Each structure stands twice: as structure tokens, then as C-alpha cells.
Amino acid sequence: MHVIPIPRTVGELELPGFVRSLEPAWAEGGGLPFNLRRVTLRPGETTAPHNHHDTEVWVILDGRGEVVSDQERAQVAAGDTVRLPPLGVHTLRNTAEDRPLTFLTTWWEDMAALDRAHEERLGRPAGGERPVLLLPSFPTPNGELHLGHVVGPFLGADLVRRGLTGRGIDAHLLLGTVGHQSQVAAAAIRQGLSFYELAERNTDAIQEALAAAGIGCDVFVRPSAPEYPRMALEVFERLRADGAVIAKTVASNYCVPCDTFLFEAFVAGACPRCGSHDTAGIECEACALPFADEDLVDPGCATCGTPAEQRDLTRYYLPLEPQREKLTAYLRTTHMSARLRAYVERVLAGPLPDLPVSTVAPDGILVPPGGAEGTGGQRLYSAFELAARFLTALDALAKDRGAAGWREYAEENDPRTVLFFGFDNAFLRTIVFPAVLGSFTDRPALPDTMICNEFYTLDGRKFSTGRLHAIWGREVFGEQTRDQLRLYLAATRPDVRRRDFDIAEYAEFVRTELIGGWELWLTSVDDRLSKHFGGIVPEAGSWNAEAEQFYGQIRELHAQLPRALEPERFDARGAAELVRAFVRRARRFAEVCEDVLGATPPSGDARTCMALELMAVLSLAEVARPLLPVLAARLGEQLGTSGSTAGGAPRWVPAATEVALTGPYFTADVAIRTAADAD
């Protein structure tokens, strides 16, 4: 006989022999066809969020709690059993204040159950049918938008928005430009302009570039929007009143000749983590790890070059270490790439810094009086304002949709939020944004998905606005070049590694693959339809083996490409490759059509092949619409169809429809000049 004793009082948890999680002695040695452990949770304790490929069953032995599995919740008590399917992220929390919760967990490998769970998860978006708020990092208006900017957060958010809305899911892209960053102030000083003169002028150029690239948004917050400072101050004053924001005095970098403290763009120095000099703010562009202002190595004034000295300065801070447990639990349930998750684990492995909330700056939102001595005249730190920028945009969206404001919209719609950002901003988006937003409100829920990209390089070097090593978005995108450039950018997107934009390679891609491949295929389809059917779509007849195979490939495109554009599975490069591979398959099937259509009069097989070719063109127009919106609209018009069934099954171009696929669809005029060439 083997007995597993369990604690039933809080006092028993303090006994010397108590072990939180224990495998019974009789279960050791691997002789059982399953694994087994007894686990006890203290009052208020929660298991770490996790998932696995095994099937798991919990038997609640004593106490009561709450189970969460993939955001589905259930209350459990002694005697209840819970089956947890493979891959779902799950936790168990002891909801009692005065009693332990003990459960028996068993788990075993079941590959058939894993396959079923995998297929089921592929068939449903992680967020269900909830509205989706897409939040890319707002661009900094210290200059124009270049391709390095476009290829990351903005094209990514646009692809997801188009993919979701094409499937009937309510998706909203929230955009604007950064309100008060020192890079804008420094650039304005160099150009002899006021902060808002430069910010508003560059914001105009940024909006032009986004429109040229076909990237639309539901809301755009400009730097001078009066709603934005009001929201930022509301967040600040609430957190200061709650004691989350505190004042403390720290030795800070100071320039004697300029008679000012040095922060962000006004201070030069090396990262204390990796030694890089690509530092501006409280995180390094090279390693993305955070550091305190005063920890810069060899700090100096970026304006006059004088080495900095240290002087005491009282500022407001939001300590992040007290939020460690909350942030850790939250981030474990958030969809993100393996690279970003490794970064998050690295940050959480050390002490979390205190986030600066106020700073000495020439421009920005003045900190309201009534607080700590010595903070008069300071401005809100731009990193702290991230949550306020989001809420300002959400408030505008809410009012556009008839709600009283962001709170009412969030309460009634329970939207999910997806972040898009570059790896150099990883600390601000994974740690700072949820810390500030979560301290201020629990609705809307914190982002459930984070989509991160690496740097895009130009001829092997990082795009740079200041050094004019860039290609301006509003110059390179046009009605004739938009789609081919969007497709190339998606295909070379720096998702988890840096990738390079090569002007010669792009020109070759357009010349050989698009004009020499896609264009010729579409022209050949039109030629076959005109020659053999007088330009009238035939009704399908009998099927040969090649037709069945090609129909399966069309179905694969309809199933796979929309999944690649779901937030939690987002893969722009994968989506681009699916489309490119599909056209290659369509060109091979065109050879079959040529052979079958050689018979006179056209056989039933010939009608089916022709109808399938037109189905393939229609599928390209419908499913690839997020990547190629101009081409999709044009093909849809020429096929006499409208709408999008990106998440649905393939459909025929109606028989007896008159169709003329007339190009050209792409242009060989791909002359691209860099900003340095244009200067």
C-alpha cells in the first residue's frame, strides 16, 4: 500500500518535510505509462504559465482554485478533474486565502491528440472573433520614413490588418508620430526650427510615405494633438497618487559649458552592457538591453563634445522590480518569436531598472507641480508616454465608432492588442509599455501578441536618416511600383535576422520573376482563353490527374496564406514565398493546359484546365490581396468579380463571363536613388 499525504492547513506548509511538488516514490523509475506528481499551492499562489505536447489531467484533491487554459477560465474544487489538451498555455491559481490547494497531475505523450490539437489550433485564431487593435511603434518625426522603417512595424501591421479584415475580423491600425523625443529636439536645433515645426513637417512626409506604400490606418495621432498631453498627464498623476511613481535623487550626466543635464540624444557614450555607441535613451540599439542614464561609459555632451560630470538630480521614476512577478506571468502567456522570448528571459534574469518618468528637456509635457522638490520645469520622459499614445489613439477610434471614449469601447468590445516593433525597442515594448499600461488600467487587456523585427540594411549598412543612408518611402513607392516593392519587402523582411535591401537584386527580382514569370503567365492565360474559348470562361468538364493536383494546390494557398498573416503566426516572408511558389506551380500547370488544349475541339479536360487556370488567377487576386492590393483589385475587375474570400474556399470565375487579362501588371522602371544621391 502506498499513501500520498497532503497538507490541509496553512500551518502544515511550514513543516520541515513539506515539499511543494513531489513525485511519489512508487512512481519513480519510469515503470508507469504516464508521469505523476503531487503539487500543493499556497493561498494566492499560481503555477507558472506553460504548455507542452503531452496530454495532461489534473485531479483536485483538496482546496479550490481557478484554471486558465488559452484564456478560457473555470472554477475547480476538491473532487474535480481537468483535462488539458496539448499545446494550450495553462495555469492553476489557489483562490483561497486560508487553505492550500493540492492536486495530482498526470501526463503522457499522445501523438494522435497532439495532431488533433495542432489542426484545431490552425483552424481558429488565438483571439477568436474579438476586435484586434494593431499598434506599430509610432515613427519618430526627426526625419522622413525610409524603407528600413516601412519593412518592419508598418508593412507588418498593414499585412495583418488586410489579412484579418479580408476574413471578416474587425481589425484597426492605430498610428501617429512620437510626441516628444529628444532626437526631434536635437534635429530641430540643428535646422534652426522649433520642435513642433520640424515634427509637424516630418509628420506630413511620414503620412505621405505610408499612403504611397498602401499602408492605411484608422487613427493617426499627430505630435501637436491636444488630447495626447491630457492623456499623458492623467496617467502620470494617477500613478503618482497611487505611489507607483516616486521621486528619487540620482547622480546624472551634466555639461558645464552648456549648463544643462544630458539625456537621450544630447548625451554621447558607450553602452555599459556591450560597448556599442549606438545609444539614445535607456536601451542600446545594438544589444537592446536597458541601462540607467548615469551608467553610460565615458559620457559626454553630444552638442559640444565636453566630457560630462556627475551632478545630483531629483527625477520621477517608476520602479519596475516590484512588478516582476506580474510581468513574468504576463509575458509567459504572450505570443512572441523565440528570439524575442530569449531576450525577455535575459532581461528578467537580472534586476529590473527604475524607469525614468521625468527628465530635463527643452520640449515636451511639463510635469505638474505639487510633487517632489527639484522637479519643477521637468518634462515627461518619452518612454513613459507610450501607454498614453496608445490610449489617445484608442480614444479617437472609440469616438469614431460611437463610444463615449476608450474606457467604454474597451469594456464593451474587449479588444485584443498586437504590438509591432523593431528589436532595438524590445525593452520599451515588452517591459515598459505593459508595466505603465497595466499600472493604470486593466481594460483594455495587455497585448497578447508581440511581433518584432530586426534591422533592415542597405548595401550591408543600417538605414540611417541622419547619415542619409536611406531610400525615402514617399519617393520609391508609386502606383506602378507599389505591389512589386511590397512583395519584395515582405520576401526579405528582417524577421529574426538582419536582412539587406539590394537595389540590383530587387531590379533582377522584378525583371526575371515578376515580368519574366508572373506577367508571362497571366498573358498566356489570356491568350489561351481568347484562342480556344473566344475570351468566354468555360464551364469545367472532366478532370485529369494534373487538374486534381493543381486544384489541391489552389486549396493549399487558401488554407495556408491567411494563417501566415494571423497575428500569432505572422510570417511575412512565409506569405511571400507561398504566393511565389503558387505562381511557379501555376506556370507548370500552364504547360499541361497547352498540351490538353491542343486537341480539337476542346475536350472536357480542356474546359476544366482553362477554368482552373482562371480560378488560380482569382485566388491570387483574393488570397494575396494583403501583399498585392493594386494587382488584386485590377485582376478582380478584369475577372468580373469583387470582394475577398481570403479565409474561404476557392471559387470558380462564373462560366460565360467575358474576361480579358490585359497587362502590363508590373514595371521594369525600378530606378531607385538613395537619399545621398538625391541630396
Side-chain angles (χ1 to χ4, degrees):
M1 176 183 294
H2 298 275
V3 177
I4 305 176
I6 64 172
R8 289 183 167 82
T9 67
V10 174
E12 292 177 74
L13 303 179
E14 308 305 324
L15 295 176
F18 169 71
V19 179
R20 179 184 180 276
S21 177
L22 178 68
E23 182 181 21
W26 53 267
E28 296 175 354
L32 298 176
F34 53 84
N35 299 281
L36 180 75
R37 294 193 80 84
R38 184 273 299 157
V39 182
T40 298
L41 303 179
R42 297 176 180 274
E45 185 180 4
T46 303
T47 61
H50 67 288
N51 72 342
H52 39 69
H53 76 282
D54 303 299
T55 295
E56 186 172 16
V57 172
W58 291 342
V59 179
I60 309 301
L61 302 176
D62 191 69
R64 65 181 187 274
E66 181 183 61
V67 177
V68 179
S69 180
D70 277 350
Q71 302 179 4
E72 185 179 352
R73 299 174 183 273
Q75 303 300 314
V76 293
D80 292 338
T81 61
V82 181
R83 178 185 177 277
L84 299 161
L87 302 179
V89 177
H90 47 266
T91 61
L92 175 61
R93 180 170 66 91
N94 183 356
T95 56
E97 298 180 356
D98 57 355
R99 190 177 183 88
L101 184 156
T102 298
F103 65 101
L104 202 65
T105 174
T106 63
W107 68 97
W108 62 94
E109 187 176 86
D110 182 345
M111 295 304 293
L114 172 62
D115 289 344
R116 288 194 300 271
H118 185 260
E119 285 299 318
E120 180 185 348
R121 293 169 72 84
L122 284 178
R124 57 179 170 86
E129 298 301 314
R130 294 160 60 197
V132 184
L133 305 175
L134 306 172
L135 185 66
S137 297
F138 286 10
T140 304
N142 62 327
E144 294 197 35
L145 211 61
H146 55 61
L147 287 190
H149 297 129
V150 174
V151 73
F154 311 117
L155 179 61
D158 183 71
L159 292 174
V160 172
R161 177 180 65 88
R162 290 176 183 271
L164 292 176
T165 55
R167 300 170 66 181
I169 298 174
D170 206 11
H172 305 287
L173 203 162
L174 310 181
L175 253 180
T177 47
V178 172
H180 306 102
Q181 273 200 344
S182 61
Q183 288 88 342
V184 182
I189 292 172
R190 289 194 299 270
Q191 297 180 40
L193 300 172
S194 73
F195 180 94
Y196 287 109
E197 281 178 326
L198 181 66
E200 291 293 330
R201 185 179 73 185
N202 285 332
T203 294
D204 290 339
I206 287 168
Q207 287 188 294
E208 287 181 35
L210 292 170
I215 298 170
C217 61
D218 297 87
V219 169
F220 194 94
V221 181
R222 298 185 67 93
S224 58
E227 300 83 6
Y228 168 45
R230 288 198 293 267
M231 185 70 72
L233 289 174
E234 181 182 349
V235 174
F236 169 77
E237 294 192 291
R238 165 83 68 78
L239 269 57
R240 182 170 66 174
D242 291 347
V245 165
I246 62 171
K248 69 173 185 175
T249 302
V250 175
S252 302
N253 295 311
Y254 186 85
C255 178
V256 175
C258 296
D259 190 25
T260 187
F261 285 96
L262 304 173
F263 298 104
E264 291 191 296
F266 294 100
V267 63
C271 170
R273 302 292 195 102
C274 71
S276 169
H277 282 77
D278 286 333
T279 57
I282 55 172
E283 59 182 351
C284 172
E285 283 194 4
C287 68
L289 293 173
F291 57 84
D293 298 295
E294 60 273 15
D295 290 338
L296 273 174
V297 178
D298 297 327
C301 179
T303 303
C304 71
T306 302
E309 66 175 48
Q310 301 292 299
R311 292 191 182 182
D312 285 346
L313 176 66
T314 301
R315 303 168 69 190
Y316 284 107
Y317 289 86
L318 173 67
L320 297 175
E321 186 61 34
Q323 299 196 42
R324 168 179 294 278
E325 184 175 345
K326 179 180 177 182
L327 285 169
T328 300
Y330 155 67
L331 289 166
R332 281 177 176 161
T333 64
T334 305
H335 298 282
M336 63 178 70
S337 68
R339 173 159 167 72
L340 184 60
R341 188 165 299 284
Y343 166 83
V344 168
E345 294 298 328
R346 186 178 178 188
V347 171
L348 292 174
L352 295 176
D354 294 345
L355 171 71
V357 172
S358 68
T359 188
V360 176
D363 301 281
I365 302 170
L366 281 169
V367 172
E373 263 187 58
T375 59
Q378 291 185 16
R379 316 263 181 173
L380 288 185
Y381 190 64
S382 61
F384 178 77
E385 297 176 16
L386 290 173
R389 287 199 283 274
F390 167 55
L391 293 175
T392 301
L394 180 57
D395 196 60
L397 175 71
K399 291 173 179 174
D400 285 346
R401 298 179 67 82
W406 66 269
R407 289 183 176 87
E408 181 179 298
Y409 176 86
E411 190 68 34
E412 292 180 354
N413 294 277
D414 187 26
R416 55 180 298 214
T417 303
V418 180
L419 300 185
F420 299 79
F421 54 88
F423 187 72
D424 57 318
N425 282 318
F427 178 69
L428 298 184
R429 267 65 191 181
T430 61
I431 305 295
V432 171
F433 180 79
V436 177
L437 184 63
S439 298
F440 180 68
T441 181
D442 59 0
R443 284 290 182 93
L446 295 178
D448 62 28
T449 303
M450 297 182 179
I451 298 174
C452 179
N453 63 270
E454 278 286 350
F455 280 124
Y456 203 43
T457 59
L458 173 61
D459 296 330
R461 293 186 293 127
K462 189 180 73 172
F463 276 81
S464 171
T465 299
R467 292 188 291 271
L468 294 181
H469 186 65
I471 298 171
W472 302 132
R474 63 173 176 162
E475 291 185 2
V476 73
F477 284 102
E479 190 69 18
Q480 296 298 314
T481 60
R482 180 180 302 148
D483 277 10
Q484 58 196 44
L485 188 52
R486 282 172 63 101
L487 182 61
Y488 182 80
L489 292 178
T492 57
R493 188 175 189 270
D495 42 12
V496 295
R497 293 291 184 273
R498 295 190 179 194
R499 300 190 189 279
D500 193 57
F501 182 87
D502 186 294
I503 294 175
E505 182 186 85
Y506 167 63
E508 181 67 11
F509 163 76
V510 173
R511 185 181 65 83
T512 59
E513 183 167 345
L514 297 185
I515 296 176
W518 293 40
E519 189 89 47
L520 289 182
W521 168 60
L522 291 169
T523 300
S524 74
V525 173
D526 186 70
D527 288 344
R528 283 186 288 278
L529 181 65
S530 176
K531 177 180 178 181
H532 298 284
F533 299 97
I536 305 300
V537 178
E539 185 174 7
S542 55
W543 290 62
N544 57 31
E546 291 91 342
E548 288 188 41
Q549 182 182 31
F550 187 53
Y551 178 64
Q553 292 167 350
I554 295 174
R555 293 185 69 243
E556 285 178 12
L557 180 71
H558 277 262
Q560 295 175 3
L561 198 146
R563 289 174 186 165
L565 299 182
E566 290 175 357
E568 58 278 3
R569 302 182 182 96
F570 180 65
D571 182 4
R573 292 175 60 223
E577 181 52 36
L578 283 169
V579 174
R580 297 168 71 186
F582 177 72
V583 174
R584 290 194 294 268
R585 290 172 169 178
R587 293 181 66 195
R588 288 199 297 270
F589 185 68
E591 297 173 356
V592 174
C593 293
E594 290 283 4
D595 293 339
V596 172
L597 286 166
T600 305
S603 63
D605 282 10
R607 295 200 313 273
T608 300
C609 287
M610 190 74 254
L612 280 173
E613 283 208 279
L614 292 167
M615 176 188 281
V617 177
L618 177 58
S619 293
L620 182 67
E622 291 181 334
V623 184
R625 185 181 299 269
L627 288 160
L628 304 150
V630 177
L631 177 66
R634 188 170 175 191
L635 291 177
E637 182 180 349
Q638 292 177 350
L639 293 168
T641 61
S642 60
S644 173
T645 59
R651 57 184 180 138
W652 301 105
V653 178
T657 301
E658 185 176 354
V659 168
L661 299 176
T662 55
Y665 299 101
F666 305 101
T667 177
D669 181 13
V670 293
I672 294 177
R673 60 178 185 172
T674 67
D677 295 333
D679 189 46

